[in-house]
């Protein structure tokens, strides 16, 4: 169809859900990411996600009961938002006849690329992961989907530098979010958010920031929709870093670096990275999906912040895990990195930047089951017994823990415990 006059026109495709491209939450909007013909598209039904209010999370954040929306991207086939982008990158990989595709990953990118390769059967996959840095839920996916997994000594930033070299010399198709087609696919997350709000623009989009692909894609989505006359205003964007991986926060908020029409002060950012190297400063956070100190989409994210009158905040691992427990108790749950969005929204409300009456959308980027270790460590902790890994990341209390209760296998004792709730 030609580009619609109104975003509402896309809704008509809901009645064609037996057609794979109309069923996909990404390709339903294919006129807004027009680089492939219908026959070329590789889809596995990604983007069947939903936007949901949560009264308990709204209260935790401090906004009106109906003002907090959670966009559950964990409902994607591989359990994270990465599938929105990987369907597009896989499509492009097959368009150019790639035989092998590769990525470096903190886990979700590799899980996503691996599932597309195993379904499409058109190219093989090599994934690079850092040592001891990957949550088991994610590693298990790459292994199970048949991806060749190379574990190198180092962290994500090391793995990414290496995979870029390998792709260059071996002619392998690179699927990290430097791949622009991934960002095209990830624009659809914002289309679905608007759809979930009956095409009304919210006041805030709050998203965790790692490699900054999502935030960059969101900015591009809104810029284009505005230019096409399909929306009349652009929401504000809040990108939330973990304190232990806060490059964007440092450069944008502390050093005041701005997009400046594309002529941003590159000396300032390269000085920052030189110093980071000299001090051998490594990213460190329990939110492993955003444990990244050298975001590849850094400059694009400056543009997104410019387009969306954006702001950046950092939150501690304590705040992230507390917010995660609140999301779990108040909805479908998420992995640690995702909860940075809710922790960030709460901080911005405290600061008075977000108002109680604002409509705030937090992006829950990954599924709760991706990283069960973090969840169990938090909930099993008591004031006397804290998990060592949590403590090493500054998490020294667990106000919302809900640990298993150990009871003797004795009916009366079990009933007594239940009656005491
Ligand atoms: C990849 C990922 C992020 C970070 O997204 P970027 O686009 O790299 O900023 C956040 N949360 C989860 C669960 C992820 O998988």
């Amino acid at each position: 169809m030609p580009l619609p006059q109104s975003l509402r026109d896309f809704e008509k495709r809901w009645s064609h859900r037996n057609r794979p491209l109309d069923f996909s939450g990404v390709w339903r909007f294919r006129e807004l990411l027009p680089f492939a013909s219908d026959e070329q598209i590789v889809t596995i039904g990604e983007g069947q996600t939903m936007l949901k209010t949560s009264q308990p999370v709204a209260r935790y954040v401090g906004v009106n009961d109906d003002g907090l929306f959670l966009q559950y991207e964990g409902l994607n086939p591989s359990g994270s938002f990465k599938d929105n982008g990987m369907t597009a990158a896989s499509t492009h990989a097959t368009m150019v006849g790639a035989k092998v595709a590769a990525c470096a990953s903190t886990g979700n990118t590799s899980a996503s690329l691996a599932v597309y390769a195993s379904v499409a059967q058109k190219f093989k996959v090599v994934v690079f992961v850092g040592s001891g840095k990957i949550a088991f839920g994610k590693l298990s996916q790459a292994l199970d989907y048949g991806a060749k997994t190379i574990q190198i000594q180092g962290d994500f930033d090391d793995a990414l530098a290496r995979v870029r070299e390998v792709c260059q010399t071996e002619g392998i198709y690179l699927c990290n979010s430097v791949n622009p087609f991934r960002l095209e696919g990830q624009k659809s997350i914002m289309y679905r958010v608007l759809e979930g709000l009956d095409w009304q623009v919210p006041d805030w989009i709050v998203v965790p920031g790692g490699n900054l692909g999502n935030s960059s894609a969101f900015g591009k989505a809104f810029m284009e929709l505005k230019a096409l006359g399909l929306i009349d205003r652009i929401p504000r964007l809040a990108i939330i870093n973990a304190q232990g991986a806060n490059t964007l926060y440092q450069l944008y908020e502390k050093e005041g670096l701005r997009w400046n029409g594309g002529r941003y002060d590159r000396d300032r950012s390269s000085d920052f990275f030189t110093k980071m190297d000299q001090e051998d400063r490594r990213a460190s956070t329990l939110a492993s999906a955003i444990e990244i100190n050298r975001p590849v989409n850094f400059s694009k994210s400056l543009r997104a912040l410019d387009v969306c009158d954006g702001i950046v905040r950092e939150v501690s691992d304590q705040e992230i895990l507390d917010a995660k427990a609140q999301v779990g108790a108040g909805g479908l749950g998420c992995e640690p990195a995702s909860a940075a969005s809710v922790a960030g929204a709460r901080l911005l409300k405290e600061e008075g930047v977000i108002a109680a009456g604002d409509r705030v959308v937090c992006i829950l980027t990954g599924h709760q089951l991706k990283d069960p270790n973090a969840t169990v460590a938090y909930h099993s902790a008591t004031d006397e017994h804290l998990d060592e890994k949590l403590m090493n990341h500054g998490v020294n209390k667990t106000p919302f823990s809900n640990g298993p209760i150990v009871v003797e296998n004795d009916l009366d004792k079990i009933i007594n415990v239940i009656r005491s709730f």
Side-chain angles (χ1 to χ4, degrees), residues 1 9-24 28 30:
M1 76 179 176
D9 290 353
F10 287 110
E11 279 177 19
K12 298 188 183 122
R13 289 191 167 141
W14 281 97
S15 56
H16 308 149
R17 290 172 66 78
N18 53 343
R19 297 182 197 161
L21 297 192
D22 288 352
F23 177 70
S24 164
R28 250 182 318 118
R30 53 197 176 274

Side-chain angles (χ1 to χ4, degrees), residues 311-387:
I311 77 182
V312 185
R313 288 292 181 272
E314 59 170 2
V315 291
S316 67
D317 282 7
Q318 179 78 60
E319 292 167 307
I320 288 174
L321 289 193
D322 289 344
K324 182 177 122 51
Q326 292 288 313
V327 171
L332 287 174
C334 64
E335 67 167 280
S338 314
S341 61
V342 171
R346 179 178 156 93
L347 174 66
L348 289 167
K349 171 62 181 47
E350 259 169 31
E351 289 178 2
V353 177
I354 287 180
D358 283 352
R359 280 152 65 96
V360 181
V361 177
C362 291
I363 311 300
L364 296 184
T365 46
H367 199 282
Q368 186 182 40
L369 294 177
K370 289 282 192 175
D371 190 357
N373 287 2
T375 308
V376 174
Y378 183 92
H379 285 297
S380 310
T382 61
D383 289 344
E384 299 81 51
H385 270 287
L386 271 163
D387 181 270

Side-chain angles (χ1 to χ4, degrees), residues 46-258:
E46 56 287 321
Q48 305 304 312
T49 62
M50 63 188 189
L51 184 80
K52 196 175 159 294
T53 51
S54 169
Q55 191 191 73
V57 179
R59 291 189 178 169
Y60 183 65
V61 168
V63 296
N64 294 346
D65 284 356
D66 57 358
L68 196 281
F69 300 83
L70 300 171
Q71 173 69 14
Y72 280 105
E73 288 300 312
L75 297 176
N76 273 292
S78 81
S80 85
F81 79 82
K82 298 293 198 299
D83 295 347
N84 292 284
M86 215 50 89
T87 183
S90 302
T91 295
H92 186 250
T94 58
M95 286 166 72
V96 299
K99 295 281 172 288
V100 185
C103 67
S105 183
T106 63
N108 283 334
T109 303
S110 56
S112 183
L113 179 57
V115 73
Y116 277 92
S118 81
V119 173
Q121 295 287 322
K122 297 217 167 113
F123 51 84
K124 294 194 171 3
V125 165
V126 187
V127 307
F128 284 61
V129 298
S131 47
K133 291 288 187 178
I134 182 168
F136 262 25
K138 307 177 186 184
L139 179 61
S140 68
Q141 289 179 288
L143 302 178
D144 213 31
Y145 293 133
K148 296 288 177 221
T149 303
I150 297 184
Q151 200 153 15
I152 65 156
Q153 215 144 38
D155 61 12
F156 172 82
D157 293 310
D158 298 317
L160 181 60
R162 215 38 108 190
V163 79
R164 289 177 90 157
E165 287 170 359
V166 170
C167 286
Q168 192 82 49
T169 56
E170 296 301 301
I172 292 173
Y173 188 87
L174 179 61
C175 283
N176 278 100
S177 55
V178 280
N179 181 317
F181 296 94
R182 275 192 49 199
L183 303 201
E184 286 303 297
Q186 286 168 213
K187 293 190 303 191
S188 68
I189 301 170
M190 291 302 103
Y191 308 151
R192 297 196 300 274
V193 163
L194 294 177
E195 188 178 51
L197 294 170
D198 200 24
W199 307 110
Q200 287 169 20
V201 178
D203 297 301
W204 287 95
I205 301 289
V206 191
V207 63
N211 243 337
L212 305 175
N214 241 356
S215 42
S216 300
F218 297 175
K220 186 166 190 279
F222 288 121
M223 197 170 77
E224 291 172 352
L225 292 181
K226 183 90 191 314
L228 292 167
L230 292 169
I231 53 173
D232 55 11
R233 74 185 179 90
I234 291 178
R236 293 193 69 187
L237 178 68
I239 306 177
I240 313 300
N241 275 164
Q243 235 161 40
N246 64 357
T247 298
L248 184 66
Y249 176 73
Q250 289 288 344
L251 283 169
Y252 187 79
E253 295 292 345
K254 295 287 161 195
E255 306 224 4
L257 196 64
R258 290 294 181 274

